Amino acid sequence: MPPKKNQLSTKTKEKAKKKTVEDKTFGLKNKNKSAKVNRYVKQVEQQVQTAGNKQKLKEAENRKKEIQSKREAAAKKEAQLAELFKPVVIQQKVPFGVNPKTVLCANFKQGTCIKGDKCKFSHDQKSDRKSGKIDLYTDPRDAKGEAPPPPSTTPALGADGQPSLKGVCKHFVEAVTNGQYGWFWQCPEGGDKCKYRHALPEGRWQ
Ligand SMILES: [Zn+2]
Ligand SMILES: [Zn+2]
């Protein structure tokens, strides 16, 4: 919008025009009503009118330009926003030997996977194991019935006053102690075939 002071009302403009004509033809109108004078008065009137129209035309032109540049700026801004919110496709990596179908699709998680059924990653929220903390008191093999059975009786307290680690894999305990135990931890002693439990006894803290 142009500054307010430039927006003279039509009334004010007309008044200004009238005043210009009066100034330029001061005294002529009423003195000599000769044809020559009348012609001159008319001429001045016309000149002022034309000048006013030119001004109006210029204003309209400026307004048009302003609207156009505003439109262009808006279109540019929209394009920038679209670019900004364009979904970023995540290139997901899978650790060696892990079935991608057991890994939650990172793009699906953020709602931008377009592959649907053809996606090699899982679209099941439950498979998001990385975000869930692994349970230290459950051997992951328990679910498949492949873990060595837990002790049938509550383990006796050891010298440290905690339930003993009898029958618990020492590699597992080491990994837990070092903070290396997680969903992708593999027992160096035969992996899933390890004959010791990969779980802490109930009631024991690390
Ligand atoms: Zn996917
Ligand atoms: Zn083990």
Side-chain angles (χ1 to χ4, degrees):
M1 286 295 267
K4 276 239 151 60
K5 59 181 175 183
N6 287 345
Q7 284 187 316
L8 295 173
S9 72
T10 323
K11 216 171 163 186
T12 319
K13 275 183 194 166
E14 285 308 314
K15 227 173 166 178
K17 277 179 192 173
K18 209 173 160 197
K19 186 160 189 319
T20 313
V21 174
E22 271 170 9
D23 286 348
K24 286 198 177 178
T25 60
F26 181 73
L28 293 176
K29 241 178 185 172
N30 303 324
K31 262 184 192 166
N32 298 304
K33 290 271 177 186
S34 73
K36 201 177 168 186
V37 170
N38 277 343
R39 216 170 27 244
Y40 175 67
V41 171
K42 247 207 163 78
Q43 209 180 342
V44 171
E45 271 175 354
Q46 211 156 37
Q47 271 173 5
V48 173
Q49 204 61 42
T50 314
N53 286 344
K54 265 188 190 158
Q55 180 66 22
K56 255 188 205 161
L57 211 69
K58 208 176 160 193
E59 273 171 21
E61 192 88 9
N62 284 344
R63 236 188 333 258
K64 215 166 111 185
K65 268 188 199 158
E66 203 180 325
I67 290 168
Q68 196 163 11
S69 72
K70 257 187 198 164
R71 252 184 222 153
E72 275 165 18
K76 204 170 155 192
K77 204 171 170 190
E78 208 168 295
Q80 277 173 345
L81 279 177
E83 182 66 30
L84 208 66
F85 287 101
K86 205 165 73 177
V88 179
V89 177
I90 297 168
Q91 294 299 327
Q92 210 167 347
K93 287 201 178 82
V94 180
F96 182 74
V98 172
N99 178 4
K101 269 289 174 201
T102 65
V103 178
L104 181 69
C105 172
N107 291 304
F108 175 75
K109 200 176 170 186
Q110 63 169 17
T112 54
C113 184
I114 50 162
K115 289 176 188 160
D117 287 346
K118 286 194 184 116
C119 184
K120 67 173 178 172
F121 293 101
S122 168
H123 281 186
D124 181 357
Q125 292 285 1
K126 272 184 272 171
S127 56
D128 192 12
R129 301 197 302 182
K130 264 196 266 178
S131 69
K133 226 174 165 223
I134 194 164
D135 180 10
L136 297 177
Y137 300 93
T138 308
D139 191 313
R141 299 168 295 174
D142 278 344
K144 291 180 268 175
E146 288 168 6
S152 51
T153 54
T154 312
L157 297 185
D160 56 0
Q162 292 203 64
S164 90
L165 291 168
K166 199 166 169 252
V168 178
C169 173
K170 61 179 183 193
H171 302 291
F172 163 78
V173 175
E174 199 179 86
V176 169
T177 311
N178 298 337
Q180 285 164 342
Y181 182 66
W183 288 109
F184 297 111
W185 179 79
Q186 291 271 325
C187 180
E189 201 141 305
D192 278 357
K193 296 214 163 59
C194 175
K195 56 184 178 175
Y196 299 101
R197 275 189 68 74
H198 292 160
L200 290 175
E202 209 61 54
R204 187 183 170 98
W205 61 93
Q206 295 168 33

